[in-house]
């Protein structure tokens, strides 16, 4: 079903893309054919690999946190001091077939590897520069070897290519610390010719390429919409069936990754380190994420996401019609870090049993995520992912199942069947006043980080779902949950069971809003469940509902997952439909406003 996107209010909502956008005379059918493998794949491997893996996040004995591939920028390393890394780069343990097997065993269907990142170092044999891997002690072309291994394994090879270049003398901008007085003034037209030359090498020498994943398009002094259109056409002229992401153009809305402009070129949106709050029917997108905190290998970053979290991210993307591009950062010796390999193997084992619920699926019918998990759809099947298999009930408010009439079904044919995917164990499915309810027949013992369990509803006829209005309980109380909130801004729902909250609330302009119906007017006590570590506590905020305004301050609770309840006072509720309650920051002294799990209203 096509969910209706409410026109963004003036509160800075993320740009909403245009569904089914086609360009340059391509028909929808032609684009669908070109995008088919991408929509089927759902899961890919991102690889950030370059000379930055040599220092691996440290420079002159100092650790630089965050993304290690940004070390040159973070440590303000002059080009003359960075270039010697080339002579130290000799990844003698690189084995293309091993890497491809790791991706294949993880259930990944495509690989996007950096052909050139922002430092300008070419990870392939480029005849246009000596700042490439062929002129390192390695003297091999890893992309050529990967192309052969991918072809053999049936994995699509794709290239990440940075438009921004911190070392090429003709790139429009020089970094403040790039003191090379001998260089003439930059010439961006010459740089574009150089970039096209390298892209020609990549698109004519490595076989069919699945995706050209552009990045570094955000410097307006260097890159423009016109240059983006030209580059898009150039790449498609060399490989007409290639897919190109939206970072070839300048209309991406930050980390939310979507392009809303009518003129934007690019075949799909690229949320980064986040997953859109809701699905976007008719829009192709792919969330790219690191497994720890760095894209490139960082010797001091051991903050690895768990395999169940990675599986939940993949499920979350697929349930909203998107792909998940999960990153690995190989070492300077050419090895994928063992913690990454272990996690990928665990996700792959789970996909071996449950992959049919991911590959080739479309977004589930629910406009918003369900509290207990997610739903994908493929033909006449709904796949229900229960994130915590110790849970017994899976309510699906707003779901409508309309079986085909008996006369069409034939005698004995059931209206629908419901079963556990792993072993076809039948499971109870019942109609309720709110929608439908599935019951987990064998709730597992609760553990901290379980892999999801998958159930199936095989139906005849049609299914659809609406988001039912939030209503008061019989006693008038209201439980406004994070998952039911609408966020104006980039903060968004975090499904990790330990969080189950609105998180990533780093922008003080963001507003968290609930809409609900009131049939029991009156005075209600209001409380909030919040969490914040020391360095992000202290924000002040206001809660507004009708004429009632309450203020509060976020305490330090010790961690993003340690929630405390704040009693904020009382609000007056008037009877009516579509009543709104908003929470917005007034001050944000720390790194974020808060993690917000719920707002509760209780009778006096
Ligand atoms: O600056 C890059 C970063 O190094 C990394 O490549 C990510 C991956 O999408 N893209 C840019 C940051 O948005």
């Amino acid at each position: 079903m096509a969910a209706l996107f409410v026109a963004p209010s003036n509160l800075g909502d993320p740009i909403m893309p245009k569904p089914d956008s086609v360009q340059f005379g391509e028909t929808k059918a032609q684009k669908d054919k070109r995008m088919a493998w991408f929509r089927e794949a759902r899961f890919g491997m991102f690889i950030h690999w370059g000379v930055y893996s040599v220092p691996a996040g440290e420079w002159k004995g100092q650790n630089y946190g965050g993304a290690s591939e940004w070390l040159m920028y973070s440590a303000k390393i002059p080009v003359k001091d960075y270039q010697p890394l080339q002579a130290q780069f000799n990844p003698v343990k690189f084995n293309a077939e091993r890497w491809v097997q790791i991706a294949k065993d993880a259930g990944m269907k495509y690989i996007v590897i950096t052909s050139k990142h922002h430092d300008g170092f070419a990870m392939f044999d480029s005849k246009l520069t000596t700042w490439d891997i062929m002129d390192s002690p390695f003297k091999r072309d890893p992309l050529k070897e990967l192309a052969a291994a991918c072809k053999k394994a049936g994995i699509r090879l794709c290239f990440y290519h940075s438009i921004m270049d911190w070392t090429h003398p003709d790139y429009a901008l020089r970094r403040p610390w790039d003191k090379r007085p001998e260089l003439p003034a930059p010439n961006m037209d010459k740089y574009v010719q150089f970039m096209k030359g390298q892209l020609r090498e990549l698109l004519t020498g490595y076989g069919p390429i699945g995706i050209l994943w552009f990045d570094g398009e955000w410097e307006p002094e260097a890159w423009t919409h016109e240059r983006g259109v030209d580059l898009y056409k150039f790449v498609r002229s060399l490989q007409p069936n290639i897919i190109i992401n939206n970072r070839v153009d300048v209309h991406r809305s930050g980390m939310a990754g979507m392009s809303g402009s009518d003129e934007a070129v690019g075949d799909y949106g690229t949320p980064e380190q986040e997953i859109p709050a809701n699905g976007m029917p008719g829009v192709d997108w792919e969330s790219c994420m690191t497994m720890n905190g760095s894209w490139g290998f960082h010797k001091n970053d051991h903050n690895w996401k768990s395999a169940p979290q990675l599986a939940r991210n993949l499920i979350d993307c697929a349930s909203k019609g998107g792909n998940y591009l999960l990153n690995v950062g190989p070492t300077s010796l050419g090895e994928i870090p063992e913690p990454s390999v272990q996690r990928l193997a665990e996700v792959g084992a789970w996909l071996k049993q449950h992959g049919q619920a991911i590959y080739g699926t479309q977004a589930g019918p629910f406009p918003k995520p369900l509290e207990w998990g997610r739903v994908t759809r493929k033909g006449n099947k709904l796949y229900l992912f229960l994130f915590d298999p110790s849970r017994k009930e899976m309510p699906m408010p707003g779901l409508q199942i309309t079986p085909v009439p008996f006369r069409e079904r034939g005698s004995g044919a059931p209206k629908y069947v419901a079963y556990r995917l792993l072993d076809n164990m039948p499971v109870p499915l019942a109609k309720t006043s709110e929608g439908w309810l599935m019951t987990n027949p064998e709730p597992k013992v609760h553990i901290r980080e379980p892999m999801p369990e998958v159930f199936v509803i095989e139906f005849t006829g049609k299914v659809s779902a609406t988001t039912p209005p939030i209503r008061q309980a019989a006693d008038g109380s209201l439980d406004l949950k994070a998952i039911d909130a609408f966020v104006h801004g980039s903060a968004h729902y975090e499904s990790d069971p330990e969080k189950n909250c609105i998180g990533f609330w780093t922008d003080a302009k963001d507003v968290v809003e609930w809409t609900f119906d009131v049939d029991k007017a009156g005075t209600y006590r209001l409380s909030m469940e919040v969490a914040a570590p020391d360095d992000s506590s202290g924000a002040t905020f206001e809660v507004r509902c009708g004429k009632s305004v309450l203020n509060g301050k976020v305490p330090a609770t010790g961690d993003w997952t340690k929630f405390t309840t704040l009693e904020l006072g009382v609000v007056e509720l008037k009877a009516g439909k579509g009543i709104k309650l908003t929470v917005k920051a007034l001050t944000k002294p720390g790194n974020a406003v808060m993690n917000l799990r719920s707002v509760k209203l209780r009778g006096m």
Side-chain angles (χ1 to χ4, degrees):
M1 66 164 280
L4 172 67
F5 284 109
V6 175
S9 56
N10 62 354
L11 286 159
D13 297 329
I15 290 176
M16 298 313 285
K18 302 282 175 285
D20 298 330
S21 60
V22 290
Q23 290 139 343
F24 311 122
E26 184 179 40
T27 65
K28 184 180 179 309
Q30 288 168 333
K31 182 174 180 183
D32 287 345
K33 185 166 184 278
R34 186 162 59 92
M35 298 298 293
W37 75 262
F38 178 84
R39 296 167 182 165
E40 168 73 24
R42 290 288 173 247
F43 193 25
M45 176 184 273
F46 215 169
I47 303 178
H48 277 70
W49 195 35
V51 292
Y52 42 77
S53 63
V54 174
E58 276 186 6
W59 192 253
K60 295 182 178 170
Q62 182 179 341
N63 177 63
Y64 289 82
S68 68
E69 73 284 358
W70 271 71
L71 185 67
M72 184 182 190
Y73 194 95
S74 312
K76 297 183 172 46
I77 305 170
V79 173
K80 67 175 177 54
D81 297 343
Y82 189 84
Q83 280 175 331
L85 292 175
Q86 179 176 22
Q88 301 166 45
F89 191 40
N90 189 12
V92 293
K93 293 190 174 178
F94 171 69
N95 179 321
E97 299 213 351
R98 162 102 176 110
W99 284 18
V100 171
Q101 194 57 51
I102 289 169
K104 190 158 188 170
D105 290 348
M108 295 162 150
K109 303 296 184 183
Y110 59 106
I111 290 174
V112 181
I113 185 166
T114 48
S115 48
K116 185 195 82 161
H117 204 264
H118 309 330
D119 60 8
F121 188 77
M123 286 297 287
F124 61 98
D125 178 10
S126 175
K127 306 300 182 222
L128 303 179
T129 178
T130 55
W131 183 229
D132 73 339
I133 194 162
M134 285 309 276
D135 293 274
S136 76
F138 193 52
K139 298 192 186 324
R140 284 161 49 186
D141 183 340
L143 302 196
K144 192 76 83 177
E145 296 175 30
L146 268 175
C150 282
K151 183 176 180 182
K152 190 174 166 187
I155 296 280
R156 293 210 184 230
L157 178 62
C158 312
F159 294 139
Y160 163 114
H161 204 80
S162 176
I163 294 165
M164 178 170 69
D165 193 310
W166 294 332
T167 56
H168 194 283
D170 281 323
Y171 180 75
L173 293 191
R174 294 265 168 78
R175 303 305 131 186
W177 62 89
D178 181 357
K179 306 295 183 206
R180 290 183 286 177
E182 75 282 5
L183 291 183
N187 179 326
M188 193 62 187
D189 289 339
K190 280 176 65 181
Y191 172 75
V192 171
Q193 289 316 310
F194 166 81
M195 180 166 62
K196 284 182 173 180
Q198 287 197 320
L199 288 169
R200 184 182 297 278
E201 292 177 310
L202 289 165
L203 294 170
T204 57
Y206 297 81
I209 300 304
I211 298 169
L212 217 300
W213 212 100
F214 284 108
D215 200 13
E217 84 288 4
W218 52 78
E219 295 185 315
E221 304 86 338
W223 205 244
T224 65
H225 166 67
E226 291 67 27
R227 290 192 187 281
V229 171
D230 173 63
L231 192 59
Y232 180 92
K233 290 178 175 176
F234 171 76
V235 169
R236 290 285 307 279
S237 71
L238 295 173
Q239 291 211 16
N241 292 325
I242 200 167
I243 294 171
I244 302 170
N245 73 353
N246 68 341
R247 300 190 186 192
V248 67
D249 199 346
V250 297
H251 289 300
R252 167 172 63 111
S253 59
M255 301 300 254
M258 307 310 288
S259 306
S261 160
D262 280 331
E263 69 172 16
V265 294
D267 299 317
Y268 70 89
T270 51
E272 180 172 325
Q273 302 288 36
E274 62 182 72
I275 296 168
N278 303 311
M280 291 166 275
V283 173
D284 292 301
W285 55 274
E286 167 201 75
S287 278
C288 59
M289 286 192 184
T290 53
M291 218 181 281
N292 56 4
S294 177
W295 300 94
F297 175 65
H298 197 305
K299 65 177 75 170
N300 301 319
D301 184 335
H302 310 293
N303 182 28
W304 303 101
K305 296 178 183 72
S306 69
Q309 180 60 63
L310 301 174
R312 289 196 297 271
N313 288 344
L314 169 62
I315 292 162
D316 197 13
C317 289
S319 75
K320 297 165 182 172
N323 286 17
Y324 185 43
L325 186 63
L326 179 57
N327 183 75
V328 296
T331 67
S332 60
L333 287 178
E335 293 183 296
I336 295 176
E338 195 51 33
S340 297
V341 175
Q342 289 163 3
R343 284 153 177 78
L344 289 174
E346 199 174 334
V347 172
W350 179 84
L351 276 170
K352 274 193 176 50
Q353 295 181 311
H354 303 94
Q356 65 175 283
I358 296 288
Y359 303 125
T361 60
Q362 288 76 46
F366 297 95
K368 288 183 73 65
L370 295 163
E371 185 176 12
W372 46 265
R374 298 291 181 273
V375 178
T376 60
R377 174 176 184 168
K378 190 180 335 183
N380 70 330
K381 291 180 181 172
L382 294 183
Y383 294 98
L384 288 66
F385 298 86
L386 180 57
F387 283 169
D388 180 354
S390 72
R391 177 169 177 146
K392 187 170 175 55
E393 294 198 332
M394 296 178 268
M396 290 168 273
L399 177 65
Q400 291 99 36
I401 301 176
T402 314
V404 294
F406 175 78
R407 61 181 178 285
E408 283 182 41
R409 262 198 335 269
S411 64
K415 293 179 183 177
Y416 50 79
V417 291
Y419 53 92
R420 185 164 64 187
L421 178 63
L422 204 52
D423 55 7
N424 293 322
M425 170 189 271
V427 299
L429 176 67
K431 183 91 180 61
T432 67
S433 59
E434 296 289 300
W436 288 80
L437 171 69
M438 180 176 276
T439 303
N440 177 3
E442 293 180 334
K444 300 289 186 298
V445 172
H446 179 74
I447 60 172
R448 191 174 164 281
E449 274 277 34
M451 288 303 269
E453 190 128 61
V454 185
F455 300 89
V456 186
I457 299 176
E458 212 168 309
F459 59 88
T460 62
K462 291 187 296 184
V463 291
S464 62
T466 55
T467 301
I470 301 170
R471 290 198 184 93
Q472 291 170 292
D475 64 1
S477 62
L478 258 176
D479 190 353
L480 304 178
K481 298 172 185 169
I483 196 161
D484 295 324
F486 184 89
V487 178
H488 300 276
S490 55
H492 54 271
Y493 177 66
E494 291 190 70
S495 59
D496 180 334
E498 286 201 307
K499 290 193 176 164
N500 181 23
C501 68
I502 297 297
F504 292 92
W505 193 346
T506 53
D507 188 337
K509 294 193 302 298
D510 287 359
V511 177
V512 179
E513 175 184 276
W514 284 274
T515 303
F516 48 89
D517 296 348
V518 173
D519 54 15
K520 299 174 187 66
T523 305
Y524 291 84
R525 282 181 294 106
L526 185 142
S527 65
M528 280 169 58
E529 288 179 280
V530 302
D534 289 356
D535 63 3
S536 296
S537 62
T540 60
F541 59 87
E542 76 168 22
V543 181
R544 192 174 283 271
C545 184
K547 291 187 167 38
S548 302
V549 181
L550 299 175
N551 291 90
K553 184 171 184 177
V554 180
T557 64
D559 184 79
W560 285 122
T561 59
K562 290 189 172 67
F563 287 83
T564 189
T565 297
L566 304 180
E567 296 294 344
L568 292 173
V570 297
V571 296
E572 282 299 325
L573 288 187
K574 304 281 186 219
K577 291 192 177 305
I579 306 296
K580 290 192 185 300
L581 180 144
T582 58
V583 182
K584 78 184 294 287
L586 300 174
T587 62
K588 187 194 74 151
N591 300 329
V593 177
M594 69 177 93
N595 272 4
L596 174 56
R597 174 169 283 171
S598 73
V599 174
K600 294 181 179 172
L601 299 173
R602 296 289 177 266
M604 299 296 280

